[in-house]
Amino acid sequence: MESDSINIEVSLAQDAPQSSSLLQGRSLMVGNSPPSKRTGFEEDNVQYKKSRKSIAREERYEYDKNLLRRAVEDAGINAFGAVFVEVWALNEDGTKLQRPEGGHWMDPAFWRSLPDDELMEEASSLDRNAGDCSPGVGLAGTLFEESSASSGRVHWRQIKSLMDDPFVQAEAERRMERLYRIGLGLVA
């Protein structure tokens, strides 16, 4: 005995919502979507796997971004006196330093303590935006070069002395000067 369609009730875990699946011909679809009439089960399975991979990739990206954000925030909160933390990573071909999404934190108390709205906006802009830079250029590039040559020790530097050093290359967006203007003095 052959029928056009078969309804199957699927039971899930206690907390999961129940749904029904519709099996028709060689195609299996879950949810309210009608079964595909153009493709067989294999093609639907391939499409399903592709959509799951892209969803998994997006979920992994969000998880990584949030994990980095939380780690950077914890580092700033637990480092006495730290008001601004950034993570910079060298790209795969070694030509640029990039600040990954979620790789920054600014102490909200520091931001609110700035004396005027212009400085608060400047601090907010510095926290939100950071352009790529080459190793050896700007604050991040200079600190990267210095840490690469060190024996794994942290070298604290004054931003003012870096700005006055004729051998330190300034980046186009003048980030080092802007950080100094909002009140940051020591960096590592």
Side-chain angles (χ1 to χ4, degrees), residues 90-173:
L90 192 60
N91 70 349
E92 290 180 12
D93 62 6
T95 59
K96 293 188 284 189
L97 288 167
Q98 300 170 314
R99 188 178 81 175
E101 192 171 346
H104 59 96
W105 170 83
M106 183 176 284
D107 186 346
F110 169 74
W111 182 80
R112 286 190 298 269
S113 71
L114 294 171
D116 59 45
D117 290 342
E118 182 182 329
L119 287 176
M120 289 172 74
E121 180 54 40
E122 182 79 20
S124 178
S125 173
L126 285 164
D127 185 36
R128 285 190 318 266
N129 307 310
D132 298 347
C133 66
S134 298
V137 176
L139 183 59
T142 301
L143 294 174
F144 172 78
E145 285 289 312
E146 290 178 355
S147 67
S148 297
S150 75
S151 60
R153 301 180 72 169
V154 175
H155 296 282
W156 288 95
R157 297 287 307 267
Q158 292 182 351
I159 291 180
K160 181 67 172 150
S161 69
L162 290 170
M163 288 172 26
D164 294 340
D165 188 340
F167 297 105
V168 172
Q169 297 180 35
E171 71 271 60
E173 63 185 36

